[in-house]
Amino acid sequence: MRWQPAELLAAEFETPSARTLTLRVPDWPGHLPGQHLDVRLTAPDGYHAERSYSLAAPADGDRIELTIQRVPDGEVSGYLVDVFPIGAQIEIRGPVGGWFIWNPDTGGPAVLIAGGSGIVPLAAMLRARRNTMAAKPFRLIYALRDPEDLYYRDELLTPPDEFTAPPDELAAPPDELAAPPDELAGPRDELAGPRDELAGSRDELAGSRDELAGSRDELAGPRDELAGPRDELAGPRDELAGPRAGLSGPGGGRIGLRDGSTGSRGELSVRRGELTVPGGSMSSEGDVGVFLAYSRRAPVGDPRPPARLTAAELALHALPPAPDVTCYVCGPTPFVEFAANALVFAGHDPAMIRTERFGPTGK
């Protein structure tokens, strides 16, 4: 795979620290939603720095989009977010990756779960579905710190005819499987490499949204083995980058559920193979449901108080387990492990859960 020049045509800030770049790449071969590419910067003295970034939009001729999150002291992200001028060029190589993808021609219903800047490859999938008018049900569950961290707000906050959010009568309950405190320890810009694989089996999601005081959703399902292949990062590692070994598909490895574990707190009880949630069931009036979970500060008027995403919320707002439902999880390693375990606990077959993770690699 060769390095190619890429010229910056346009740029837009998604947040104060995240910038979307529209690049022109002559003879770009095209890519699938979920793939990534490598970026190389070269200093006047010949020093190279390489990082990997997820593609943020479907293929559009010779134009591609990347959304870069600035990392403190990041030599690549700092340049791309704060310095890289319109008309200048960088080198890119790709596309890379063939597992963490959703193919508009063959892909089925999907659950997209993002932590922080993990929204980037999932946005490409959501946009591909919209562009092709695919009638496959999609559910996006997006965990972030506060409203200022929301990427692609004009798309994710659109009226219900495009993205229909599920009812929000259920506030975030406490949960023994709640995401780790550092799940959103800062969005990162390095989403790379073939990822860990997991997967989904069939179960039933039941509940009544009309009986808020006592209806319950019950989800059950098997656990399986999870694993993941290689890493694609090269160059100096002063930024958060690349996938990590852990939960995955063919190849082995156990998820972190405790056999026979039982926990309860408040009104929510959690047992191995069962989640009991006070309140109704998740529903969507359209083919796409979007659930935003703010952990530190929520927008004015948001009925959900700021709190970490819980396993109960994830099970409630995802599609029910089914043989054709694929789940995609992207974010920091602790968040990915939490979400993948919660999906398996809710009844999704590990063979239908695909993950992409990133975390600290040092300076």
Side-chain angles (χ1 to χ4, degrees):
M1 192 177 297
R2 65 187 179 90
W3 291 99
Q4 299 175 262
E7 177 188 0
L8 183 62
L9 299 180
E12 177 183 1
F13 277 92
E14 303 291 343
T15 73
S17 60
R19 187 187 189 204
T20 292
L21 312 176
T22 300
L23 301 160
R24 179 167 54 209
V25 184
D27 302 320
W28 179 250
H31 61 273
L32 291 172
Q35 289 188 301
H36 67 282
L37 53 72
D38 298 326
V39 171
R40 181 168 72 178
L41 303 182
T42 303
D45 63 359
Y47 168 76
H48 294 298
E50 300 175 15
R51 299 291 182 272
S52 295
Y53 297 96
S54 289
L55 289 146
D60 182 17
D62 63 357
R63 298 190 178 195
I64 62 173
E65 289 187 20
L66 304 175
T67 299
I68 312 299
Q69 171 69 41
R70 185 196 307 114
V71 172
D73 301 322
E75 60 185 355
V76 175
S77 66
Y79 173 79
L80 295 177
V81 173
D82 299 323
V83 179
F84 190 30
I86 303 297
Q89 293 187 348
I90 56 175
E91 291 180 287
I92 63 98
R93 181 176 60 186
V96 180
W99 179 253
F100 193 84
I101 59 171
W102 184 81
N103 190 321
D105 297 327
T106 60
V111 176
L112 314 177
I113 303 174
S117 62
I119 186 63
V120 176
L122 305 183
M125 299 178 189
L126 202 59
R127 289 164 166 172
R129 179 201 179 279
R130 179 192 61 200
N131 291 350
T132 58
M133 301 300 291
K136 306 298 184 181
F138 264 43
R139 296 295 181 267
L140 171 64
I141 300 171
Y142 183 6
L144 63 164
R145 286 177 169 179
D146 54 50
E148 286 69 32
D149 290 332
L150 178 63
Y151 286 25
Y152 319 124
R153 64 180 61 245
D154 290 342
E155 295 175 68
L156 298 183
L157 299 180
T158 50
D161 58 341
E162 178 62 32
F163 296 113
T164 301
D168 43 29
E169 64 253 357
L170 180 65
D175 194 331
E176 292 294 325
L177 290 177
D182 57 350
E183 86 212 21
L184 299 177
R188 306 297 188 257
D189 65 332
E190 304 292 337
L191 306 172
R195 336 292 187 220
D196 299 344
E197 280 66 72
L198 307 147
S201 80
R202 183 180 347 192
D203 204 80
E204 296 183 1
L205 175 63
S208 170
R209 54 184 294 189
D210 298 324
E211 300 177 359
L212 299 181
S215 68
R216 296 172 177 251
D217 290 314
E218 296 188 359
L219 303 100
R223 283 75 180 149
D224 208 341
E225 301 186 356
L226 321 158
R230 53 191 174 90
D231 188 306
E232 295 281 337
L233 277 181
R237 296 187 173 184
D238 63 325
E239 305 179 33
L240 300 185
R244 297 286 177 275
L247 304 177
S248 62
R254 292 280 186 181
I255 61 172
L257 290 177
R258 294 171 294 170
D259 290 345
S261 63
T262 301
S264 63
R265 198 185 323 171
E267 296 181 286
L268 176 68
S269 65
V270 179
R271 299 179 183 84
R272 192 173 190 266
E274 178 180 347
L275 293 179
T276 303
V277 184
S281 63
M282 182 266 193
S283 68
S284 174
E285 298 176 0
D287 289 322
V288 176
V290 177
F291 178 67
L292 304 179
Y294 298 94
S295 62
R296 292 191 178 180
R297 183 173 60 83
V300 175
D302 193 318
R304 180 188 184 275
R308 287 177 283 135
L309 179 69
T310 67
E313 288 180 308
L314 190 150
L316 181 70
H317 294 289
L319 292 170
D324 62 341
V325 173
T326 304
C327 301
Y328 299 87
V329 186
C330 186
T333 295
F335 176 83
V336 169
E337 292 177 350
F338 149 73
N341 286 342
L343 286 168
V344 174
F345 203 73
H348 290 273
D349 183 351
M352 297 297 286
I353 303 173
R354 303 182 181 187
T355 69
E356 176 171 279
R357 63 186 67 206
F358 51 91
T361 58
K363 294 186 177 181

